[in-house]
Coordinates of all heavy atoms in Angstrom, one line a residue:
M1 N -172.9 -102.7 -113.0 CA -174.3 -102.9 -113.0 C -174.6 -104.3 -112.7 O -175.6 -104.6 -112.0 CB -174.8 -102.5 -114.5 CG -176.3 -102.7 -114.6 SD -177.1 -101.4 -113.7 CE -178.7 -101.7 -114.1
K2 N -173.9 -105.3 -113.3 CA -174.1 -106.7 -112.9 C -173.9 -107.0 -111.5 O -174.5 -107.9 -110.9 CB -173.2 -107.6 -113.9 CG -173.6 -107.6 -115.3 CD -172.7 -108.5 -116.1 CE -173.1 -108.4 -117.6 NZ -172.3 -109.3 -118.4
K3 N -172.9 -106.3 -110.9 CA -172.6 -106.5 -109.5 C -173.8 -106.1 -108.6 O -174.0 -106.7 -107.5 CB -171.3 -105.8 -109.1 CG -170.1 -106.4 -109.7 CD -168.9 -105.7 -109.2 CE -167.6 -106.3 -109.8 NZ -166.4 -105.6 -109.3
L4 N -174.5 -105.1 -109.0 CA -175.7 -104.7 -108.3 C -176.9 -105.5 -108.5 O -177.7 -105.7 -107.6 CB -175.9 -103.2 -108.6 CG -177.1 -102.4 -107.9 CD1 -176.7 -102.4 -106.3 CD2 -177.3 -101.1 -108.3
L5 N -177.1 -105.9 -109.7 CA -178.3 -106.6 -110.2 C -178.4 -108.0 -109.6 O -179.5 -108.4 -109.2 CB -178.3 -106.7 -111.7 CG -179.6 -107.1 -112.3 CD1 -180.7 -106.2 -111.9 CD2 -179.5 -107.2 -113.9
L6 N -177.2 -108.7 -109.4 CA -177.3 -110.0 -109.0 C -177.7 -110.2 -107.5 O -178.7 -110.8 -107.1 CB -176.0 -110.8 -109.2 CG -175.9 -112.2 -108.7 CD1 -176.7 -113.0 -109.5 CD2 -174.4 -112.6 -108.8
P7 N -177.1 -109.3 -106.6 CA -177.5 -109.4 -105.2 C -179.0 -108.9 -105.0 O -179.8 -109.5 -104.2 CB -176.6 -108.5 -104.5 CG -175.4 -108.4 -105.3 CD -175.9 -108.5 -106.7
L8 N -179.4 -107.9 -105.7 CA -180.8 -107.5 -105.6 C -181.7 -108.5 -106.1 O -182.9 -108.7 -105.5 CB -180.9 -106.1 -106.4 CG -180.3 -104.9 -105.8 CD1 -180.6 -103.7 -106.7 CD2 -181.0 -104.5 -104.4
S9 N -181.5 -109.1 -107.1 CA -182.4 -110.2 -107.5 C -182.5 -111.4 -106.5 O -183.5 -111.9 -106.3 CB -182.0 -110.7 -109.0 OG -180.6 -111.3 -108.9
L10 N -181.3 -111.7 -105.9 CA -181.4 -112.8 -104.9 C -182.2 -112.4 -103.7 O -183.1 -113.1 -103.2 CB -180.0 -113.1 -104.5 CG -179.1 -113.9 -105.5 CD1 -177.7 -114.0 -105.0 CD2 -179.7 -115.2 -105.8
V11 N -182.1 -111.0 -103.3 CA -182.9 -110.6 -102.2 C -184.4 -110.6 -102.5 O -185.2 -111.0 -101.7 CB -182.4 -109.2 -101.8 CG1 -183.3 -108.5 -100.8 CG2 -181.0 -109.3 -101.1
L12 N -184.7 -110.1 -103.7 CA -186.1 -110.1 -104.2 C -186.7 -111.5 -104.3 O -187.9 -111.7 -103.8 CB -186.2 -109.4 -105.5 CG -187.6 -109.2 -106.0 CD1 -188.4 -108.3 -105.1 CD2 -187.4 -108.6 -107.5
A13 N -185.9 -112.5 -104.7 CA -186.4 -113.9 -104.9 C -186.8 -114.4 -103.4 O -187.7 -115.1 -103.2 CB -185.4 -114.7 -105.5
Q14 N -185.8 -114.1 -102.5 CA -186.0 -114.6 -101.1 C -187.3 -114.0 -100.5 O -188.1 -114.6 -99.8 CB -184.8 -114.3 -100.2 CG -183.6 -115.1 -100.5 CD -182.4 -114.8 -99.6 OE1 -182.4 -113.8 -99.0 NE2 -181.5 -115.6 -99.7
M15 N -187.5 -112.7 -100.7 CA -188.7 -112.0 -100.2 C -189.9 -112.6 -100.8 O -191.0 -112.8 -100.0 CB -188.6 -110.5 -100.4 CG -187.6 -109.7 -99.6 SD -187.2 -108.1 -100.2 CE -189.0 -107.5 -100.2
L16 N -190.0 -112.8 -102.0 CA -191.2 -113.4 -102.6 C -191.4 -114.9 -102.2 O -192.5 -115.3 -102.0 CB -191.1 -113.4 -104.1 CG -191.1 -111.9 -104.8 CD1 -190.8 -112.0 -106.3 CD2 -192.5 -111.3 -104.5
A17 N -190.3 -115.6 -102.0 CA -190.5 -117.1 -101.6 C -191.0 -117.1 -100.1 O -191.9 -117.9 -99.9 CB -189.1 -117.7 -101.6
V18 N -190.6 -116.2 -99.3 CA -191.0 -116.2 -97.9 C -192.6 -115.9 -97.9 O -193.4 -116.6 -97.2 CB -190.4 -115.2 -97.1 CG1 -191.0 -114.9 -95.7 CG2 -188.9 -115.7 -96.8
S19 N -193.1 -114.9 -98.5 CA -194.5 -114.6 -98.6 C -195.4 -115.6 -99.3 O -196.4 -115.9 -98.8 CB -194.7 -113.2 -99.2 OG -194.3 -113.3 -100.6
A20 N -194.8 -116.3 -100.3 CA -195.5 -117.3 -101.0 C -195.7 -118.6 -100.1 O -196.8 -119.2 -100.1 CB -194.8 -117.7 -102.3
F21 N -194.7 -119.0 -99.3 CA -194.8 -120.2 -98.5 C -195.5 -119.9 -97.2 O -195.9 -120.9 -96.6 CB -193.4 -120.7 -98.2 CG -192.7 -121.4 -99.4 CD1 -191.7 -120.9 -100.0 CD2 -193.2 -122.5 -99.9 CE1 -191.1 -121.6 -101.1 CE2 -192.8 -123.2 -101.1 CZ -191.6 -122.6 -101.7
A22 N -195.8 -118.7 -96.9 CA -196.4 -118.4 -95.6 C -197.9 -118.5 -95.7 O -198.6 -118.7 -94.7 CB -196.1 -117.0 -95.2
Q23 N -198.4 -118.5 -96.9 CA -199.9 -118.5 -97.0 C -200.4 -119.9 -97.0 O -199.7 -120.9 -97.5 CB -200.2 -117.8 -98.4 CG -199.9 -116.4 -98.5 CD -200.3 -115.7 -99.8 OE1 -200.8 -116.4 -100.6 NE2 -200.0 -114.4 -100.0
T24 N -201.5 -120.2 -96.4 CA -202.2 -121.4 -96.4 C -203.6 -121.3 -96.9 O -204.3 -120.4 -96.7 CB -202.2 -121.9 -94.9 OG1 -202.9 -121.0 -94.1 CG2 -200.8 -122.1 -94.4
K25 N -204.0 -122.3 -97.6 CA -205.3 -122.4 -98.2 C -205.8 -121.1 -99.0 O -206.9 -120.6 -98.6 CB -206.3 -122.8 -97.1 CG -206.1 -124.1 -96.4 CD -207.2 -124.5 -95.4 CE -206.9 -125.7 -94.8 NZ -207.9 -126.1 -93.9
G26 N -205.0 -120.6 -99.7 CA -205.5 -119.5 -100.6 C -205.5 -118.2 -99.8 O -206.3 -117.4 -100.1
G27 N -204.8 -118.1 -98.7 CA -204.9 -116.9 -97.9 C -205.9 -116.9 -96.8 O -205.9 -115.8 -96.1
E28 N -206.6 -117.9 -96.7 CA -207.6 -117.9 -95.6 C -207.1 -118.6 -94.4 O -206.2 -119.3 -94.4 CB -208.8 -118.7 -96.1 CG -209.5 -118.1 -97.3 CD -210.8 -118.9 -97.8 OE1 -211.2 -119.8 -97.1 OE2 -211.3 -118.6 -98.8
A29 N -207.6 -118.2 -93.3 CA -207.2 -118.7 -92.0 C -207.7 -120.1 -91.8 O -208.8 -120.6 -92.3 CB -207.8 -117.8 -90.8
D30 N -206.9 -120.9 -91.1 CA -207.2 -122.3 -90.8 C -208.3 -122.3 -89.8 O -208.3 -121.8 -88.7 CB -206.0 -123.0 -90.3 CG -206.2 -124.5 -90.2 OD1 -207.1 -124.9 -90.8 OD2 -205.3 -125.2 -89.5
A31 N -209.4 -123.0 -90.2 CA -210.7 -123.1 -89.3 C -210.4 -123.6 -87.9 O -210.9 -123.2 -86.9 CB -211.8 -123.9 -90.0
E32 N -209.6 -124.7 -87.9 CA -209.3 -125.3 -86.5 C -208.5 -124.4 -85.6 O -208.7 -124.4 -84.4 CB -208.6 -126.6 -86.7 CG -209.5 -127.8 -87.3 CD -209.5 -127.7 -88.8 OE1 -208.5 -127.2 -89.4 OE2 -210.5 -128.1 -89.4
Q33 N -207.6 -123.7 -86.2 CA -206.7 -122.9 -85.4 C -207.2 -121.4 -85.1 O -206.8 -120.8 -84.1 CB -205.3 -122.7 -86.1 CG -204.5 -123.9 -86.2 CD -203.2 -123.8 -86.9 OE1 -202.9 -122.7 -87.5 NE2 -202.4 -124.9 -87.0
S34 N -208.3 -121.0 -85.8 CA -208.8 -119.7 -85.6 C -209.8 -119.7 -84.6 O -210.2 -118.6 -84.1 CB -209.4 -119.2 -86.9 OG -210.5 -119.9 -87.3
K35 N -210.4 -120.7 -84.1 CA -211.3 -120.8 -83.1 C -210.7 -120.6 -81.7 O -209.7 -121.4 -81.4 CB -212.2 -122.0 -83.2 CG -213.0 -122.2 -84.3 CD -213.9 -123.5 -84.4 CE -214.6 -123.6 -85.7 NZ -215.3 -124.8 -85.7
G36 N -211.2 -119.9 -80.9 CA -210.8 -119.8 -79.5 C -211.4 -120.9 -78.5 O -212.3 -121.6 -79.1
Q37 N -210.8 -121.1 -77.4 CA -211.3 -122.1 -76.5 C -212.5 -121.7 -76.0 O -212.7 -120.6 -75.5 CB -210.2 -122.4 -75.4 CG -210.5 -123.5 -74.6 CD -209.5 -123.7 -73.4 OE1 -208.6 -122.9 -73.3 NE2 -209.7 -124.7 -72.6
T38 N -213.6 -122.6 -76.0 CA -214.9 -122.2 -75.5 C -214.9 -122.4 -73.9 O -214.4 -123.5 -73.5 CB -216.0 -123.0 -76.2 OG1 -215.7 -124.4 -76.0 CG2 -216.1 -122.7 -77.6
M39 N -215.4 -121.6 -73.3 CA -215.6 -121.7 -71.7 C -216.9 -122.3 -71.5 O -217.9 -122.1 -72.2 CB -215.5 -120.4 -71.1 CG -214.2 -119.7 -71.3 SD -212.8 -120.6 -70.8 CE -213.0 -120.5 -69.1
P40 N -217.0 -123.2 -70.5 CA -218.3 -123.7 -70.1 C -219.3 -122.7 -69.6 O -218.9 -121.7 -69.0 CB -218.0 -124.7 -69.0 CG -216.6 -124.3 -68.4 CD -215.9 -123.6 -69.6
K41 N -220.5 -122.9 -69.9 CA -221.6 -122.0 -69.5 C -221.7 -122.0 -67.9 O -221.7 -123.1 -67.3 CB -222.9 -122.3 -70.2 CG -222.9 -122.2 -71.6 CD -223.0 -120.7 -72.1 CE -223.0 -120.6 -73.5 NZ -223.1 -119.3 -74.0
A42 N -221.9 -120.8 -67.3 CA -222.1 -120.7 -66.0 C -223.6 -121.0 -65.6 O -224.5 -120.5 -66.3 CB -221.7 -119.4 -65.4
T43 N -223.9 -121.7 -64.6 CA -225.2 -122.0 -64.2 C -225.8 -120.7 -63.4 O -225.0 -119.9 -62.9 CB -225.3 -123.1 -63.2 OG1 -224.6 -122.8 -62.0 CG2 -224.7 -124.4 -63.8
P44 N -227.1 -120.5 -63.4 CA -227.7 -119.5 -62.7 C -227.3 -119.4 -61.3 O -227.2 -118.3 -60.7 CB -229.3 -119.7 -62.9 CG -229.4 -120.5 -64.1 CD -228.1 -121.4 -64.1
A45 N -227.1 -120.5 -60.6 CA -226.7 -120.4 -59.2 C -225.3 -119.9 -59.1 O -225.0 -119.1 -58.1 CB -226.7 -121.9 -58.6
E46 N -224.3 -120.3 -59.9 CA -223.0 -119.7 -59.9 C -223.0 -118.2 -60.2 O -222.3 -117.4 -59.6 CB -222.2 -120.5 -61.0 CG -221.9 -121.9 -60.7 CD -221.2 -122.6 -61.8 OE1 -221.3 -122.2 -62.9 OE2 -220.4 -123.6 -61.5
K47 N -223.8 -117.8 -61.1 CA -224.0 -116.4 -61.4 C -224.5 -115.6 -60.3 O -224.0 -114.5 -59.9 CB -224.9 -116.1 -62.7 CG -224.4 -116.6 -64.0 CD -225.3 -116.3 -65.1 CE -224.8 -116.9 -66.4 NZ -225.8 -116.6 -67.5
A48 N -225.5 -116.2 -59.6 CA -226.1 -115.4 -58.4 C -225.0 -115.4 -57.2 O -224.9 -114.3 -56.6 CB -227.2 -116.2 -57.9
T49 N -224.3 -116.4 -57.1 CA -223.2 -116.5 -56.1 C -222.2 -115.3 -56.4 O -221.7 -114.6 -55.5 CB -222.5 -117.9 -55.9 OG1 -223.5 -118.7 -55.7 CG2 -221.6 -117.9 -54.8
A50 N -221.8 -115.3 -57.6 CA -220.7 -114.3 -58.0 C -221.3 -112.9 -57.8 O -220.7 -112.0 -57.5 CB -220.2 -114.6 -59.4
K51 N -222.5 -112.7 -58.3 CA -223.0 -111.4 -58.1 C -223.1 -110.9 -56.7 O -222.9 -109.7 -56.4 CB -224.4 -111.4 -58.7 CG -225.1 -110.1 -58.8 CD -226.4 -110.0 -59.5 CE -227.1 -108.7 -59.5 NZ -228.4 -108.8 -60.3
A52 N -223.5 -111.8 -55.8 CA -223.7 -111.5 -54.4 C -222.3 -111.1 -53.8 O -222.2 -110.1 -53.1 CB -224.2 -112.7 -53.6
G53 N -221.2 -111.8 -54.2 CA -219.9 -111.5 -53.8 C -219.4 -110.2 -54.3 O -218.9 -109.4 -53.5
R54 N -219.7 -109.9 -55.5 CA -219.3 -108.6 -56.1 C -220.1 -107.4 -55.4 O -219.6 -106.3 -55.1 CB -219.6 -108.5 -57.6 CG -218.6 -109.3 -58.4 CD -218.8 -109.1 -59.9 NE -220.0 -109.2 -60.4 CZ -220.6 -110.3 -60.8 NH1 -219.9 -111.3 -60.9 NH2 -221.8 -110.3 -61.3
K55 N -221.3 -107.6 -55.1 CA -222.2 -106.6 -54.4 C -221.6 -106.4 -53.0 O -221.5 -105.2 -52.5 CB -223.6 -107.1 -54.3 CG -224.6 -106.1 -53.7 CD -226.0 -106.6 -53.8 CE -226.9 -105.6 -53.4 NZ -228.4 -106.1 -53.5
E56 N -221.2 -107.4 -52.2 CA -220.7 -107.2 -50.9 C -219.3 -106.4 -51.0 O -219.0 -105.5 -50.2 CB -220.4 -108.6 -50.3 CG -221.6 -109.3 -49.8 CD -221.3 -110.6 -49.2 OE1 -220.1 -111.0 -49.1 OE2 -222.3 -111.4 -49.0
E57 N -218.5 -106.8 -51.9 CA -217.2 -106.1 -52.2 C -217.4 -104.6 -52.5 O -216.7 -103.7 -52.0 CB -216.4 -106.7 -53.3 CG -215.7 -108.1 -52.9 CD -215.1 -108.8 -54.0 OE1 -214.8 -108.1 -55.0 OE2 -214.8 -109.9 -53.9
G58 N -218.4 -104.4 -53.4 CA -218.7 -103.0 -53.8 C -219.2 -102.1 -52.6 O -218.8 -101.0 -52.5
A59 N -220.1 -102.7 -51.8 CA -220.6 -102.0 -50.7 C -219.5 -101.7 -49.7 O -219.4 -100.6 -49.1 CB -221.7 -102.8 -50.0
A60 N -218.6 -102.7 -49.4 CA -217.5 -102.3 -48.5 C -216.5 -101.2 -49.1 O -216.1 -100.4 -48.3 CB -216.6 -103.7 -48.3
A61 N -216.3 -101.2 -50.4 CA -215.5 -100.2 -51.0 C -216.2 -98.9 -51.0 O -215.6 -97.9 -50.8 CB -215.2 -100.6 -52.4
A62 N -217.5 -98.8 -51.1 CA -218.2 -97.6 -51.1 C -218.2 -97.0 -49.6 O -218.1 -95.8 -49.4 CB -219.7 -97.8 -51.4
H63 N -218.2 -97.9 -48.6 CA -218.1 -97.3 -47.2 C -216.8 -96.8 -46.9 O -216.6 -95.9 -46.0 CB -218.6 -98.4 -46.2 CG -220.1 -98.7 -46.3 ND1 -220.9 -97.8 -45.9 CD2 -220.7 -99.8 -46.7 CE1 -222.2 -98.4 -46.0 NE2 -222.1 -99.6 -46.5
K64 N -215.7 -97.5 -47.5 CA -214.3 -97.0 -47.2 C -214.0 -95.7 -48.0 O -213.0 -95.1 -47.5 CB -213.4 -98.2 -47.6 CG -213.4 -99.2 -46.7 CD -212.2 -100.2 -47.1 CE -212.1 -101.4 -46.2 NZ -211.1 -102.3 -46.6
A65 N -214.7 -95.6 -49.1 CA -214.3 -94.4 -50.0 C -214.4 -93.1 -49.2 O -215.4 -92.9 -48.5 CB -215.1 -94.4 -51.2
V66 N -213.5 -92.2 -49.5 CA -213.6 -90.9 -48.9 C -213.9 -89.9 -50.0 O -213.3 -89.8 -50.9 CB -212.2 -90.4 -48.3 CG1 -212.2 -89.0 -47.7 CG2 -211.9 -91.5 -47.2
T67 N -215.0 -89.2 -49.8 CA -215.4 -88.2 -50.8 C -214.6 -87.0 -50.6 O -213.9 -86.7 -49.6 CB -216.9 -87.8 -50.5 OG1 -216.9 -87.1 -49.2 CG2 -217.9 -88.9 -50.6
P68 N -214.5 -86.2 -51.7 CA -213.5 -85.0 -51.7 C -214.0 -84.0 -50.5 O -213.1 -83.4 -49.9 CB -213.8 -84.4 -53.0 CG -214.1 -85.5 -53.9 CD -214.9 -86.4 -53.1
R69 N -215.3 -83.9 -50.3 CA -215.7 -83.0 -49.2 C -215.3 -83.5 -47.9 O -214.8 -82.7 -47.1 CB -217.3 -83.0 -49.3 CG -217.8 -82.0 -48.4 CD -218.1 -80.7 -49.2 NE -218.3 -79.5 -48.5 CZ -219.3 -78.7 -48.7 NH1 -220.3 -79.1 -49.6 NH2 -219.5 -77.7 -47.9
A70 N -215.4 -84.8 -47.7 CA -214.9 -85.4 -46.3 C -213.5 -85.3 -46.2 O -213.0 -85.0 -45.1 CB -215.4 -86.8 -46.3
A71 N -212.8 -85.3 -47.3 CA -211.3 -85.2 -47.2 C -210.9 -83.8 -46.8 O -210.0 -83.6 -46.0 CB -210.6 -85.5 -48.5
E72 N -211.5 -82.8 -47.3 CA -211.3 -81.4 -46.9 C -211.6 -81.2 -45.4 O -210.9 -80.5 -44.8 CB -212.2 -80.5 -47.7 CG -211.7 -80.3 -49.2 CD -212.6 -79.5 -49.9 OE1 -213.5 -78.7 -49.4 OE2 -212.5 -79.4 -51.2
E73 N -212.8 -81.7 -44.9 CA -213.2 -81.6 -43.6 C -212.1 -82.2 -42.7 O -211.8 -81.7 -41.6 CB -214.5 -82.1 -43.3 CG -215.6 -81.4 -44.1 CD -217.0 -82.0 -44.1 OE1 -217.1 -83.1 -43.4 OE2 -217.9 -81.5 -44.6
K74 N -211.7 -83.4 -43.0 CA -210.6 -84.0 -42.2 C -209.2 -83.6 -42.4 O -208.4 -83.9 -41.6 CB -210.7 -85.6 -42.5 CG -211.9 -86.3 -42.1 CD -211.9 -87.7 -42.5 CE -213.1 -88.5 -42.0 NZ -213.0 -89.9 -42.3
G75 N -209.0 -82.8 -43.4 CA -207.7 -82.4 -43.7 C -206.8 -83.4 -44.3 O -205.6 -83.3 -44.4
V76 N -207.4 -84.4 -45.0 CA -206.6 -85.4 -45.7 C -206.1 -84.8 -47.0 O -206.9 -84.2 -47.8 CB -207.6 -86.6 -46.0 CG1 -206.8 -87.7 -46.8 CG2 -208.0 -87.2 -44.6
G77 N -204.9 -85.0 -47.3 CA -204.3 -84.7 -48.6 C -203.9 -83.1 -48.6 O -203.6 -82.7 -49.7
T78 N -204.0 -82.4 -47.6 CA -203.6 -81.1 -47.5 C -202.3 -80.9 -46.7 O -202.3 -81.4 -45.6 CB -204.7 -80.1 -47.1 OG1 -205.0 -80.5 -45.8 CG2 -205.9 -80.2 -48.0
A79 N -201.3 -80.2 -47.2 CA -200.1 -80.1 -46.6 C -200.2 -78.8 -45.6 O -200.9 -77.9 -46.0 CB -198.9 -79.9 -47.5
K80 N -199.5 -78.9 -44.5 CA -199.6 -77.8 -43.5 C -198.6 -76.8 -44.1 O -197.4 -77.1 -44.4 CB -199.2 -78.3 -42.1 CG -199.2 -77.2 -41.2 CD -198.7 -77.7 -39.8 CE -197.2 -77.5 -39.8 NZ -196.6 -77.7 -38.6
A81 N -198.9 -75.5 -44.2 CA -198.0 -74.4 -44.5 C -196.9 -74.3 -43.5 O -197.1 -74.3 -42.4 CB -198.7 -73.2 -44.7
A82 N -195.7 -74.2 -44.0 CA -194.5 -74.0 -43.1 C -194.5 -72.6 -42.6 O -194.8 -71.7 -43.3 CB -193.2 -74.2 -43.9
T83 N -194.1 -72.5 -41.4 CA -194.1 -71.1 -40.7 C -192.7 -70.5 -41.3 O -191.8 -71.1 -41.7 CB -194.1 -71.2 -39.3 OG1 -192.9 -71.9 -38.8 CG2 -195.3 -71.9 -38.8
K84 N -192.6 -69.2 -41.0 CA -191.3 -68.5 -41.3 C -190.1 -69.0 -40.5 O -189.1 -69.2 -41.1 CB -191.5 -66.9 -41.0 CG -190.3 -66.1 -41.4 CD -190.6 -64.7 -41.3 CE -189.4 -63.8 -41.7 NZ -188.4 -64.3 -42.5
Q85 N -190.3 -69.4 -39.3 CA -189.2 -70.0 -38.5 C -188.7 -71.3 -39.2 O -187.6 -71.6 -39.3 CB -189.6 -70.2 -37.1 CG -189.9 -68.9 -36.4 CD -190.6 -69.2 -35.0 OE1 -191.0 -70.3 -34.7 NE2 -190.5 -68.2 -34.0
E86 N -189.7 -72.2 -39.6 CA -189.4 -73.5 -40.2 C -188.6 -73.3 -41.5 O -187.7 -74.0 -41.8 CB -190.7 -74.3 -40.4 CG -191.3 -74.8 -39.1 CD -192.6 -75.4 -39.4 OE1 -193.2 -75.2 -40.4 OE2 -193.0 -76.2 -38.5
R87 N -189.1 -72.3 -42.3 CA -188.4 -72.0 -43.6 C -187.0 -71.5 -43.3 O -186.1 -71.9 -44.0 CB -189.2 -70.9 -44.4 CG -190.5 -71.5 -45.0 CD -191.1 -70.5 -46.0 NE -191.3 -69.2 -45.5 CZ -192.4 -68.8 -45.0 NH1 -193.5 -69.5 -45.0 NH2 -192.5 -67.5 -44.5
D88 N -186.8 -70.6 -42.3 CA -185.4 -70.1 -42.0 C -184.5 -71.3 -41.5 O -183.3 -71.3 -41.8 CB -185.5 -69.0 -40.9 CG -186.2 -67.7 -41.5 OD1 -186.2 -67.6 -42.8 OD2 -186.6 -67.0 -40.7
A89 N -185.1 -72.2 -40.8 CA -184.3 -73.3 -40.2 C -183.9 -74.1 -41.3 O -182.8 -74.7 -41.5 CB -185.0 -74.0 -39.1
A90 N -184.7 -74.4 -42.2 CA -184.4 -75.3 -43.4 C -183.4 -74.6 -44.3 O -182.5 -75.4 -44.8 CB -185.7 -75.6 -44.2
R91 N -183.5 -73.3 -44.5 CA -182.5 -72.6 -45.3 C -181.1 -72.7 -44.7 O -180.2 -72.9 -45.3 CB -183.0 -71.1 -45.4 CG -182.1 -70.4 -46.4 CD -182.6 -68.9 -46.7 NE -183.9 -68.9 -47.2 CZ -184.9 -68.4 -46.7 NH1 -184.9 -67.9 -45.4 NH2 -186.1 -68.4 -47.3
A92 N -181.1 -72.5 -43.3 CA -179.8 -72.6 -42.6 C -179.2 -74.0 -42.7 O -178.0 -74.1 -42.9 CB -180.0 -72.2 -41.2
K93 N -180.0 -75.0 -42.6 CA -179.6 -76.4 -42.7 C -179.0 -76.6 -44.1 O -177.9 -77.3 -44.2 CB -180.8 -77.3 -42.4 CG -180.4 -78.8 -42.3 CD -181.6 -79.6 -42.0 CE -181.3 -81.1 -41.9 NZ -182.4 -81.9 -41.6
R94 N -179.7 -76.2 -45.1 CA -179.2 -76.3 -46.5 C -177.8 -75.7 -46.7 O -177.0 -76.1 -47.3 CB -180.1 -75.8 -47.5 CG -181.4 -76.8 -47.7 CD -182.2 -76.4 -48.9 NE -182.6 -75.1 -48.9 CZ -183.7 -74.5 -48.5 NH1 -184.6 -75.4 -47.9 NH2 -184.0 -73.2 -48.6
K95 N -177.7 -74.4 -46.1 CA -176.5 -73.6 -46.3 C -175.4 -74.4 -45.6 O -174.3 -74.5 -46.1 CB -176.6 -72.3 -45.7 CG -177.1 -71.2 -46.6 CD -177.0 -69.9 -45.9 CE -177.0 -68.7 -46.9 NZ -176.9 -67.4 -46.3
A96 N -175.6 -74.9 -44.4 CA -174.6 -75.6 -43.6 C -174.1 -76.8 -44.3 O -173.0 -77.2 -44.4 CB -175.1 -76.0 -42.2
A97 N -175.1 -77.6 -45.0 CA -174.8 -78.8 -45.8 C -173.9 -78.5 -47.0 O -173.0 -79.2 -47.3 CB -176.1 -79.6 -46.2
A98 N -174.2 -77.4 -47.7 CA -173.5 -76.9 -48.8 C -172.1 -76.5 -48.4 O -171.1 -76.8 -49.1 CB -174.3 -75.8 -49.5
A99 N -172.0 -75.7 -47.3 CA -170.6 -75.4 -46.8 C -169.8 -76.6 -46.5 O -168.6 -76.6 -46.8 CB -170.8 -74.4 -45.6
A100 N -170.4 -77.6 -45.8 CA -169.7 -78.8 -45.6 C -169.2 -79.6 -46.8 O -168.1 -80.0 -46.9 CB -170.5 -79.7 -44.6
A101 N -170.1 -79.6 -47.7 CA -169.7 -80.3 -49.0 C -168.5 -79.5 -49.7 O -167.7 -80.1 -50.4 CB -170.9 -80.4 -49.9
L102 N -168.7 -78.2 -49.7 CA -167.7 -77.5 -50.3 C -166.3 -77.6 -49.6 O -165.2 -77.7 -50.3 CB -168.0 -75.9 -50.3 CG -167.0 -74.9 -51.0 CD1 -167.0 -75.2 -52.4 CD2 -167.6 -73.5 -50.7
K103 N -166.3 -77.7 -48.4 CA -165.0 -77.9 -47.6 C -164.5 -79.3 -47.9 O -163.3 -79.3 -48.0 CB -165.4 -77.7 -46.1 CG -164.2 -77.7 -45.2 CD -164.6 -77.4 -43.7 CE -163.3 -77.2 -43.0 NZ -163.6 -77.0 -41.5
K104 N -165.3 -80.3 -48.0 CA -164.8 -81.6 -48.4 C -164.3 -81.8 -49.7 O -163.6 -82.6 -50.1 CB -165.9 -82.6 -48.1 CG -166.2 -82.9 -46.7 CD -167.4 -84.0 -46.6 CE -167.8 -84.2 -45.2 NZ -168.8 -85.3 -45.1
G105 N -164.8 -80.9 -50.5 CA -164.4 -80.9 -52.0 C -165.3 -81.6 -52.9 O -165.0 -81.9 -54.0
E106 N -166.5 -82.0 -52.3 CA -167.5 -82.7 -53.1 C -168.0 -81.8 -54.3 O -168.4 -82.2 -55.3 CB -168.7 -83.2 -52.2 CG -168.1 -84.2 -51.3 CD -169.2 -84.7 -50.3 OE1 -170.4 -84.1 -50.4 OE2 -169.0 -85.5 -49.5
I107 N -168.2 -80.4 -54.0 CA -168.6 -79.6 -55.0 C -167.6 -78.4 -55.2 O -166.8 -78.2 -54.2 CB -170.0 -78.9 -54.6 CG1 -169.9 -78.2 -53.3 CG2 -171.0 -80.0 -54.8 CD1 -171.2 -77.5 -52.9
S108 N -167.6 -77.8 -56.3 CA -166.5 -76.7 -56.5 C -167.3 -75.4 -56.4 O -168.5 -75.2 -56.6 CB -165.9 -76.8 -57.8 OG -166.9 -76.6 -58.8
S109 N -166.5 -74.4 -55.9 CA -167.0 -73.0 -55.6 C -167.4 -72.3 -56.9 O -168.1 -71.3 -57.0 CB -166.1 -72.3 -54.8 OG -164.9 -72.1 -55.5
G110 N -166.7 -72.7 -58.0 CA -166.9 -72.0 -59.3 C -165.9 -70.9 -59.6 O -165.9 -70.3 -60.6
E111 N -165.1 -70.6 -58.5 CA -164.1 -69.6 -58.8 C -162.7 -70.2 -59.3 O -162.4 -71.4 -58.9 CB -163.8 -68.9 -57.3 CG -165.0 -68.2 -56.8 CD -164.7 -67.6 -55.4 OE1 -163.5 -67.7 -55.0 OE2 -165.6 -67.2 -54.8
K112 N -162.0 -69.5 -60.0 CA -160.7 -70.0 -60.5 C -159.6 -69.2 -60.1 O -159.6 -68.1 -59.9 CB -160.8 -70.1 -62.0 CG -161.8 -71.1 -62.6 CD -161.7 -71.2 -64.0 CE -162.6 -72.3 -64.6 NZ -162.5 -72.4 -66.0

């Protein structure tokens, strides 16, 4: 029992000491450190210049944007369906690649 009580009491004392020394001014935040850096106020001219720049960028982005309807009309984002001949050619190509890999020994046939 004494062997267990001594290490536990040392650990408990360390835990309490850490929390006791970490507090400053009765648990309140330090006033100097809690304040953020203040930014200088922007003048009305600077605000107007920034607003005009954002307005131009927004107008350019709006003209570039493609609506979903326009995308459908142009065929943007839609994949062309493969024909039967293309599917058959792709299947034959995969079969040939698998046969070549089997012959090289890269894959096993599963037969014992």
Side-chain angles (χ1 to χ4, degrees):
M1 181 73 178
K2 290 181 183 179
K3 290 182 180 180
L4 182 64
L5 191 60
L6 182 63
L8 287 177
S9 62
L10 290 174
V11 169
L12 183 63
Q14 287 178 350
M15 288 173 47
L16 292 174
V18 168
S19 63
F21 286 114
Q23 295 179 3
T24 59
K25 295 186 182 181
E28 296 178 13
D30 190 10
E32 290 83 30
Q33 293 179 353
S34 64
K35 293 180 183 176
Q37 183 181 4
T38 57
M39 300 300 290
K41 297 283 183 179
T43 64
E46 291 173 336
K47 289 181 183 180
T49 305
K51 184 177 180 181
R54 288 192 305 271
K55 188 174 182 179
E56 289 174 8
E57 290 175 10
H63 288 293
K64 284 184 181 178
V66 177
T67 62
R69 186 98 197 228
E72 285 178 13
E73 292 171 0
K74 291 181 180 180
V76 175
T78 55
K80 184 185 90 169
T83 64
K84 183 166 178 26
Q85 293 172 347
E86 291 171 339
R87 288 193 304 263
D88 290 341
R91 187 177 298 120
K93 186 177 179 181
R94 286 193 306 270
K95 269 188 162 181
L102 183 62
K103 189 173 185 179
K104 287 182 182 177
E106 293 175 2
I107 56 174
S108 63
S109 63
E111 296 177 9
K112 289 187 179 181

